[in-house]
Amino acid sequence: MKFGSTLRKSVYAPWKDQYIDYDKLKNLLREHDDDKPWTSDDVTQFTEELANVQLEKVYNFKRDIQEKLKERTTACEKKLEPLALGIKAEDGEDGAEAASSSKDTKSDVPPAEKKKLLQEVLKELDGITKEVKELEKYGRINYTAVIKATKKHDKLRGRSYRLRPFINARLTEKPIYTEDQSPLLYRLSAMYSFVRQSLDGKPQEALSFAENASGKDEFTSYKFWVHKDNLLEVKTVILRRLPVLVYNPQTSKVAEGSQRDPTITSIYFDNQDFPLYTDKVNHVPNAASLRLRWYGQLAEKPTIHLEKKEMKDGDVAEEQRFPIKEKYVQPFIAGKYHMEKQIQKMEARGAQDPQDVNEFKKSVNDISHFIKEKDLQPVLRANYTRTAFQIPGDNRVRVSLDTNLALIREDSLDLDRPCRDPDDWHRRDIDDRQMEYPFKEIRKGERYDFPHAILEIKVRGLKKYEWIEDLINSHLVKEAPRFSKFVQGVAKLFEDQVNTFPFWLSEVEMDIKREPEAAFEEEQKKKQKAAEDDFAVGSLFGARASPSYRPSVISPVGSPAAGTSARKASAPKPSPLVVEQTTKPSAEEIDSDDDGDATIPGRTTGLSSLFPSFSTSKYARSKESAAKAIALPPGVRHPGVWIKDQGPVRVEAKVWLANQRTFIKWQHVSVLLASLSLGLYNAAGESNNIARILAVVYTCVALFTLLWGYGIYMWRRRLIMQRSGTDFDSVTGPLVVAVGLAIALCLNFGFKYRAILTEREHNHARHNGTAAAAALVEMVAERIELVR
């Protein structure tokens, strides 16, 4: 079907004047008029119309509609807010605010008025949901129109100037198709749940989405593109936490570490109309895909698996697969063979569980019927090298890194020039000659080399891993949600046969390498936007209705009852209520060897209690201003106890060792002082009272140091056990010891100096007395001589 017809059929009547004028663009290209030469003025006119008129029109209209939908959603939330506050008051919310809200809401909304309000909101929500769906279709079809018009220009008039790179850059600046509707849908889902449960009279405890969250046995998948310059750094980040999973298909023994990463080949099925591709791009419910998959070269006789994957609600995939030998693939596709020999072997052995045999039969029948119903044939080959990271026997975290991705046409749609023999299921020129990447022997139009590596992280259960969060939010990777090798290959190699394209197509050829600062700022904006959406739901339904809503209050580690509380810097959704947030390690992460960076806020001691402007803690300087910034919005109540404070206390060993190390240092100082005092006392004579007094003073300081060290050790131990948010630092003990020693030394110096002065005076007086006696003797001698 021509794209012009597809575009006309996709028009949403209320917005019919806001779609791209595809016919006007075709007329500007003069598709069927080659008599008049194509000039630079024609290029400028077409480029101006496409990039600055049509694209700008679509972008501005979509942005305006998104803002209106957000405003309508906010208006619905405000209508429901009195009802939600009344319910929370019935739940027994503490405090004066709860009492006042209960009095102001519950009594003012009679049942009849409440039902009418809920029905009006439900009708409005239906209208918003419909327009959200139409807006997603609007963005997709106009995005496809831009790509189609650009490709038509490059095909007809692109000899001197190719427009595609410029349009890709413009689509990055003016994104008209990003599939970023999940935050708004999340808010709508929360209101739908509230309204329907209120109309049905169900208990409001069901508003919590915890039951619908991924269970412990389900995987959460993240997909990213990795620039080739960042490959080594990404690998080293992963290798610090997970080892490389060595794959050896030939034996169950441990493979050698020198073994190469396996090459994986997947052959995808579709027909000439590409319905499987279209359903996958448009996210049609129960969209299915079919592929053959094997490791290594086909000449090595690997195990081939035929796999059918069907997407269910909530992006949950249901997969059917079974192994098949190479010689049976073509008969199975043609409907001439239904795995009868394999089924007979399974039944003859008797060792197989009958349920497994029945499931095998069901998979064979379903896939065979699926191929026949859709008239499927191999159309695309994906060949890539995979490096897997996983702890053996532990599948909680699984990481795969696919490099050297080559997408190759495998179809026989053009009977005059088929890529594959119509009577065979794969290309013999590739498999018989054992071609490898980069497949230079394949014609250029039949091969596409994907420019980036593909990183996929699968996390089992609800546990968060800090290193994964850091990698996801870093400049090393670019998020690529819903990326599919099959969709990418068809979109690039079969552009003329398909009328819709994936939203990421214009970004593939762009440079995804980013500076760390730019990546950080982009991530902060994303978190801020997500926090605003969460806050909108949280302010209406409280913390119960939002699985990820956590009002961020400034406090380090303690419970709300213990003081102010701060989220870690890596928290996934920081609250927009606090502009500046001081984040420091929690009590479990304290290391006393840190140079003043591991202090915990919440306690004012020593000089800071006497002089409020003086502080020995970095946290205390901002504690007062941070506390003033905390203001819970209407409808949001104090959580009472943080989630981290629930369950058994788990403290890292370094926290205990830090406290014990401090205690041992205090005892060391006490022993040194006691040894000094004992030595001083023993060295002093019976008549040296000053030395004895100083020895007693040193003994008192040593005793104080001993008791202080033990007391501080027990006090900090109690704070750790209680997960307290109080400051761990205390300057009183060190000040007392320092001042005591300084006074003792000063007194010692003073007494010693006074003793020296006294001794000098005594010596001087004795010297004067001896001289007088000598003079007297001499005078007496002289007189005796005269008498003689």
Side-chain angles (χ1 to χ4, degrees), residues 114 128 144 148 179 182 196 302 337 354 383 418 431 437 449 465 488-489 523 561 574 587 593 642 695 707 752 770 773:
K114 176 182 176 181
I128 296 173
T144 303
K148 285 283 188 181
E179 286 196 347
S182 53
R196 287 171 177 166
Y337 178 70
N383 184 275
D431 295 322
Y437 185 84
D449 296 330
Y465 296 87
Q488 176 67 25
E523 186 62 28
D593 293 335
W642 297 117
L707 297 176
K752 189 66 177 176
T770 305

Side-chain angles (χ1 to χ4, degrees), residues 305-489:
H305 285 91
L306 185 57
E307 303 172 347
K308 176 191 175 186
K309 184 181 292 186
E310 187 173 347
M311 300 303 297
K312 300 295 184 181
D313 295 336
D315 291 338
V316 178
E318 180 181 297
E319 187 176 281
Q320 292 178 313
R321 66 197 297 262
F322 60 87
I324 183 172
K325 292 183 179 181
E326 178 186 352
K327 61 181 179 180
Y328 295 135
V329 174
Q330 183 59 32
F332 183 85
I333 296 174
K336 301 177 180 178
Y337 178 70
H338 295 87
M339 306 298 293
E340 292 88 356
K341 292 184 178 181
Q342 182 67 21
I343 294 174
Q344 290 176 1
K345 290 181 179 179
M346 294 173 66
E347 292 176 341
R349 290 172 186 163
Q352 293 284 346
D353 189 347
Q355 184 177 356
D356 295 339
V357 177
N358 293 333
E359 289 181 358
F360 183 84
K361 290 181 180 179
K362 185 177 183 305
S363 298
V364 170
N365 293 332
D366 290 347
I367 294 178
S368 177
H369 178 73
F370 182 65
I371 294 174
K372 183 178 180 180
E373 179 186 12
K374 299 290 186 179
D375 190 22
L376 301 179
Q377 60 170 299
V379 295
L380 179 74
R381 175 188 294 242
N383 184 275
Y384 50 94
T385 301
R386 168 162 293 182
T387 306
F389 303 87
Q390 181 183 330
I391 298 176
D394 184 356
N395 65 348
R396 287 177 297 176
V397 179
R398 297 158 55 187
V399 180
S400 63
L401 186 61
D402 297 338
T403 55
N404 298 337
L405 172 59
L407 300 166
I408 304 171
R409 290 186 60 162
E410 195 85 12
D411 64 287
S412 59
L413 301 179
D414 186 357
L415 297 179
D416 295 332
R417 197 180 177 186
C419 300
R420 166 184 55 83
D421 184 354
D423 296 328
D424 205 347
W425 63 274
H426 66 111
R427 292 183 61 154
R428 293 286 179 178
D429 57 339
I430 296 177
D431 295 322
D432 290 350
R433 294 161 60 183
Q434 299 188 26
M435 292 185 187
E436 294 184 348
Y437 185 84
F439 299 96
K440 294 183 179 180
E441 296 86 349
I442 304 298
R443 292 190 293 264
K444 187 176 180 180
E446 298 177 2
R447 186 193 80 243
Y448 169 72
D449 296 330
F450 190 71
H452 314 301
I454 303 167
L455 176 69
E456 183 173 9
I457 302 175
K458 290 186 178 181
V459 181
R460 184 178 184 182
L462 302 175
K463 183 178 179 180
K464 298 291 185 180
Y465 296 87
E466 185 176 357
W467 70 272
I468 294 180
E469 297 293 330
D470 292 342
L471 178 60
I472 289 174
N473 299 329
S474 71
H475 67 286
L476 300 175
V477 299
K478 176 177 174 55
E479 188 177 8
R482 297 181 181 273
F483 177 78
S484 167
K485 300 180 182 72
F486 169 57
V487 171
Q488 176 67 25

Side-chain angles (χ1 to χ4, degrees), residues 552-554 564 575-581 622-633:
S552 182
V553 262
I554 307 267
T564 29
S575 172
L577 302 179
V578 183
V579 178
E580 293 185 3
Q581 181 171 343
S622 59
K623 184 181 67 174
E624 183 176 356
S625 60
K628 291 180 180 179
I630 302 170
L632 294 179

Side-chain angles (χ1 to χ4, degrees), residues 101-121:
S101 64
S102 174
K103 181 172 59 178
D104 295 340
T105 55
K106 185 179 177 182
S107 58
D108 293 342
V109 184
E113 187 68 22
K114 176 182 176 181
K115 183 176 181 181
K116 181 180 178 182
L117 177 62
L118 290 171
Q119 290 176 344
E120 290 177 356
V121 172

Side-chain angles (χ1 to χ4, degrees), residues 125-276:
L125 290 177
D126 290 338
I128 296 173
T129 304
K130 180 182 177 182
E131 289 206 1
V132 169
K133 183 175 67 174
E134 293 296 336
L135 187 63
E136 194 269 339
K137 293 181 180 178
Y138 171 85
R140 185 193 309 128
I141 195 68
N142 283 283
Y143 173 81
T144 303
V146 172
I147 298 297
K148 285 283 188 181
T150 305
K151 183 178 183 298
K152 192 176 288 291
H153 170 274
D154 291 348
K155 183 178 180 180
L156 297 175
R157 312 296 183 184
R159 297 182 185 89
S160 58
Y161 175 69
R162 288 184 55 81
L163 192 58
R164 185 65 173 269
F166 173 71
I167 293 299
N168 286 343
R170 288 288 291 167
L171 286 172
T172 303
E173 297 174 2
K174 306 286 185 181
I176 59 176
Y177 179 37
T178 59
E179 286 196 347
D180 190 19
Q181 302 294 341
S182 53
L184 184 60
L185 292 177
Y186 169 63
R187 296 170 63 183
L188 293 173
S189 175
M191 284 189 287
Y192 265 121
S193 177
F194 179 84
V195 171
R196 287 171 177 166
Q197 292 178 26
S198 299
L199 289 174
D200 296 340
K202 293 182 179 180
Q204 296 302 324
E205 287 78 10
L207 284 176
S208 173
F209 293 142
E211 297 177 0
N212 296 331
S214 299
K216 63 180 182 179
D217 293 330
E218 295 182 356
F219 284 92
T220 303
S221 179
Y222 308 91
K223 288 186 178 182
F224 305 91
W225 295 339
V226 181
H227 194 279
K228 292 184 178 180
D229 293 347
N230 295 331
L231 267 178
L232 182 59
E233 190 170 355
V234 170
K235 286 184 178 181
T236 55
V237 169
I238 301 173
L239 282 173
R240 293 175 190 169
R241 281 85 182 181
L242 299 176
V244 175
L245 185 65
V246 181
Y247 176 79
N248 188 352
Q250 304 299 330
T251 176
S252 59
K253 298 179 181 179
V254 178
E256 296 180 358
S258 59
Q259 179 180 329
R260 294 174 53 189
D261 290 328
T263 299
I264 301 178
T265 302
S266 298
I267 294 182
Y268 295 93
F269 287 71
D270 214 328
N271 61 36
Q272 59 184 2
D273 296 327
F274 292 94
L276 302 188

